């Protein structure tokens, strides 16, 4: 029985220098999108919750300092929720470690791909770097997914055993947790990792990579 490898079929579609450059350009676009998402999902917003009054006398008007940057919430990020009767979501973005790693790797990858976009001696050593980028973005996906899972579980449990959770319980508030924005970042991480994997394999199959040097 003839075995058809769908991955190899996809890779062979980019086995010419022109198509490989198109794939690099497509990847650069998604890296720039990821950089924008990284900045957006790092920010925090107190929303309606920051202006509410609580029976305990606690105030969350300084949301970023009193919640997002304080323990234990700093270890429970990211999370986003709306409470009963509120109109604007209250959120704390990804931890700085996640955002910093993603931002640095994506920035370096953009610069490197722009260099690789033109045939240079660097092109001869591109495959190991492409494999490393693929692994780094997959690792970033795992990091982000783990943080999202922690944030979702904490939010679903109404932040039990915290001052915030106590106020939520005393006020009888129901939280609606929404982490779709953060999940989108993990999906983009994974997609870019897959693009680098395809690029890594296609680079080895590209037959006209050295045409400009008079080689075949």
């Amino acid at each position: 029985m003839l075995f058809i490898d769908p991955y190899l079929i996809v890779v062979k579609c980019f086995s010419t220098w022109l198509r490989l450059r198109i794939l690099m350009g497509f990847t650069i676009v998604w890296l720039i999108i990821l950089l924008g998402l990284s900045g957006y999902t790092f920010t925090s917003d107190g929303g309606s919750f920051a202006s509410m009054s609580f029976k305990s006398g606690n105030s969350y008007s300084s949301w970023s300092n009193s919640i997002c940057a304080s323990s234990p919430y700093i270890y429970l990020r990211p999370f986003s929720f709306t409470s009963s009767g509120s109109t604007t979501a209250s959120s704390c973005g990804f931890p700085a470690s996640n955002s910093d790693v993603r931002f640095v790797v994506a920035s370096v990858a953009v610069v490197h791909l722009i260099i690789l976009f033109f045939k240079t001696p660097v092109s001869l050593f591109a495959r190991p770097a492409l494999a490393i980028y693929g692994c780094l973005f997959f690792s970033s996906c795992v990091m982000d997914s783990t943080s999202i899972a922690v944030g979702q579980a904490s939010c679903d449990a109404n932040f039990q055993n915290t001052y915030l959770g106590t106020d939520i319980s005393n006020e009888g508030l129901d939280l609606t947790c929404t982490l779709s924005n953060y999940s989108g970042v993990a999906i983009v991480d994974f997609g870019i990792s897959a693009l680098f994997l395809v690029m890594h394999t296609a680079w080895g199959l590209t037959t006209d990579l050295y045409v400009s040097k008079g080689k075949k």
Side-chain angles (χ1 to χ4, degrees):
M1 179 182 295
L2 179 63
F3 176 74
I4 299 176
D5 187 343
Y7 173 71
L8 197 56
I9 292 175
V10 172
V11 168
K12 284 184 176 180
C13 291
F14 301 99
S15 61
T16 65
W17 180 238
L18 175 62
R19 293 179 180 179
L20 190 55
R21 293 180 76 185
I22 293 173
L23 180 60
M24 282 191 283
F26 182 73
T27 304
I28 289 172
V29 170
W30 275 105
L31 286 168
I32 294 173
I33 291 173
L34 182 62
L35 288 171
L37 287 174
S38 295
Y40 173 71
T41 55
F42 177 70
T43 58
S44 303
D45 186 357
S48 300
F49 205 83
S51 60
M52 294 175 62
S53 299
F54 296 91
K55 298 173 183 177
S56 63
N58 291 333
S59 172
Y60 300 103
S61 57
S62 180
W63 179 261
S64 295
N65 293 325
S66 60
I67 296 296
C68 299
S70 65
S71 180
Y73 314 104
I74 194 172
Y75 305 110
L76 307 178
R77 299 170 60 171
F79 54 81
S80 177
F81 62 85
T82 54
S83 56
S84 309
S86 67
T87 56
T88 307
S90 302
S91 62
C92 290
F94 274 109
S97 56
N98 295 51
S99 299
D100 290 348
V101 168
R102 197 186 315 110
F103 184 84
V104 170
V105 174
S107 298
V108 173
V110 167
V111 174
H112 196 177
L113 285 181
I114 291 175
I115 294 173
L116 292 177
F117 201 78
F118 306 95
K119 289 181 182 180
T120 68
V122 177
S123 303
L124 300 175
F125 309 99
R127 291 194 70 201
L130 296 175
I132 291 172
Y133 287 132
C135 293
L136 288 175
F137 279 106
F138 183 78
S139 299
S140 180
C141 175
V142 173
M143 285 178 58
D144 290 341
S145 299
T146 301
S147 297
I148 291 168
V150 171
Q152 182 73 57
S154 302
C155 188
D156 288 340
N158 290 345
F159 303 98
Q160 287 182 350
N161 302 319
T162 67
Y163 289 117
L164 178 62
T166 300
D167 284 334
I168 291 172
S169 178
N170 291 341
E171 298 292 333
L173 300 175
D174 292 322
L175 300 187
T176 301
C177 305
T178 53
L179 275 76
S180 56
N181 289 341
Y182 306 114
S183 298
V185 173
I187 293 172
V188 174
D189 284 337
F190 182 81
I192 291 176
S193 173
L195 286 173
F196 273 108
L197 178 61
V198 171
M199 209 182 309
H200 166 265
T201 308
W203 202 277
L205 298 176
T206 301
T207 57
D208 56 350
L209 182 59
Y210 310 114
V211 168
S212 61
K213 300 179 183 298
K215 298 180 181 180
K216 296 183 179 181

